[in-house]
Amino acid sequence: MRIGIDLGGTSVKAALCEEDGTLLGKRSTPTRTGDAEGLCADMKLLALALCGERGISPDRITSIGIGVPGSFDKKTCTLKFGTNLGMSNVCFADAFKPEFGCAVQLDNDANCAALGEATAGAAKNARNMLMVTLGTGVGGGIIIDGKLYTGSNGIAGEVGHIVIHRDGEPCNCGRKGCLEAYTSAASFVKFAERALAEGRESLLQKNAGRLDAKMICDAVDAGDALARELFDEYCANLATGLANFINIFQPESIVLGGGLAGYGEKLLEPLRRLALPQTFRSEERNTEIVCASLGNDAGLIGAAML
């Protein structure tokens, strides 16, 4: 049995999983931001409660994994800097003792989501896959030969920061033209608000100043010309990024997660049509582009599998 924990700025979620990633139960509690001791205590209580619900002794747990935002040190199981958590230099290695004697693993929350989808989700049993999360930013995780690839320093997988337009839109990372600057939910909304400010007519005008990505997608469905233009440009930019990933890695699957992936086949169809002709192809097997299937459980399952 394994336990996975997803450490977020709003809530701490924990799950009990079997060795193959099957989810047996989950619990959550509000995050005590700025209180490292209280946070560690809450995580242990969640783990103990999950074991108690199933009548499982804590000594049967073979691994505890934690998905964290921010920078961290895997070797010492230490969160170095957690902006959204209001704490730094928190070591979790002994947080579950004495009840749990197993090792505690730590990794980036996006990496955990990728591992979860590769273990029990849309890319189940894939040996090589990428996950691209389309949320406020663009994150991701890389699985090579069944294992997370994190590079020489543990921070590989920043897929949102490949440049697709030289000297293009400014990105929060400080560079210009990054994939994230064109294909995050925030950028999708930014381009829409910019067009409305320039006087473009659209159904979106009634929500100007408070748009979200779903509103734009709904307007596409309603036949709005501006929304369709924005969506087509969004897909073209994302397809360029996905084609680059395919040409570099040739994975079995690219799994799209995050809020925009909720558009399903309406997003996948143009991405496949635009991205795949830009890639090197094989007569045997080529990359599938699919949407994540585990939702918020992906990070929990992936953390358990660390």
Side-chain angles (χ1 to χ4, degrees):
M1 298 289 182
R2 295 168 175 255
I3 287 176
I5 294 175
D6 186 358
L7 182 52
T10 302
S11 64
V12 184
K13 305 179 186 71
L16 179 68
C17 298
E18 293 183 346
E19 293 294 322
D20 64 356
T22 301
L23 191 66
L24 298 177
K26 56 184 178 179
R27 279 177 165 258
S28 67
T29 191
T31 303
R32 288 203 245 180
T33 54
D35 181 1
E37 186 175 337
L39 175 63
C40 289
D42 285 346
M43 289 194 299
K44 182 163 73 171
L45 286 173
L46 287 173
L48 288 170
L50 287 168
C51 289
E53 287 174 354
R54 288 277 173 168
I56 296 170
S57 173
D59 60 16
R60 288 185 58 195
I61 301 300
T62 59
S63 179
I64 295 174
I66 308 172
V68 297
S71 60
F72 56 92
D73 185 333
K74 291 182 71 171
K75 291 183 179 179
T76 61
C77 200
T78 299
L79 176 68
K80 303 297 287 184
F81 188 65
T83 306
N84 295 333
L85 301 173
M87 60 187 75
S88 302
N89 298 314
V90 183
C91 180
F92 297 116
D94 298 327
F96 299 87
K97 293 181 178 178
E99 290 86 351
F100 297 90
C102 60
V104 180
Q105 312 291 336
L106 198 67
D107 214 313
N108 175 268
D109 47 7
N111 282 344
C112 290
L115 189 56
E117 290 290 343
T119 302
K124 186 175 181 178
N125 298 322
R127 300 294 295 170
N128 301 281
M129 63 85 74
L130 274 75
M131 185 162 186
V132 180
T133 54
L134 307 169
T136 304
V138 174
I142 303 167
I143 304 291
I144 296 177
D145 197 24
K147 299 177 182 178
L148 273 172
Y149 176 77
T150 56
S152 61
N153 54 8
I155 59 173
E158 291 291 346
V159 299
H161 299 288
I162 64 163
V163 171
I164 60 169
H165 290 284
R166 183 172 176 267
D167 294 327
E169 291 285 327
C171 182
N172 290 331
C173 73
R175 302 176 77 196
K176 290 183 177 181
C178 289
L179 184 68
E180 180 173 299
Y182 290 88
T183 63
S184 67
S187 66
F188 193 29
V189 169
K190 179 184 74 173
F191 292 133
E193 295 283 9
R194 182 184 294 176
L196 294 176
E198 292 171 351
R200 296 287 301 274
E201 292 186 5
S202 171
L203 295 172
L204 300 171
Q205 195 66 252
K206 62 183 179 181
N207 290 310
R210 53 188 182 87
L211 285 175
D212 59 33
K214 185 178 184 304
M215 291 177 185
I216 304 173
C217 291
D218 288 344
V220 173
D221 292 340
D224 185 80
L226 175 60
R228 168 53 66 180
E229 179 184 316
L230 292 164
F231 181 71
D232 288 347
E233 184 66 16
Y234 176 90
C235 289
N237 284 316
L238 182 53
T240 297
L242 298 183
N244 288 337
F245 300 145
I246 292 170
N247 287 335
I248 294 169
F249 295 102
Q250 292 295 335
E252 293 154 66
S253 299
I254 290 181
V255 178
L256 303 181
L260 276 159
Y263 207 33
E265 282 295 324
K266 295 175 184 178
L267 175 65
L268 293 177
E269 188 280 325
L271 289 179
R272 293 171 183 142
R273 174 168 42 83
L274 295 167
L276 297 182
Q278 303 180 55
T279 64
F280 290 93
R281 312 288 285 155
S282 164
E283 293 182 0
E284 298 176 0
R285 180 167 186 176
N286 294 294
T287 302
E288 298 177 335
I289 301 174
V290 298
C291 285
S293 64
L294 296 177
N296 292 331
D297 291 340
L300 286 169
I301 295 171
M305 294 299 107
L306 288 173

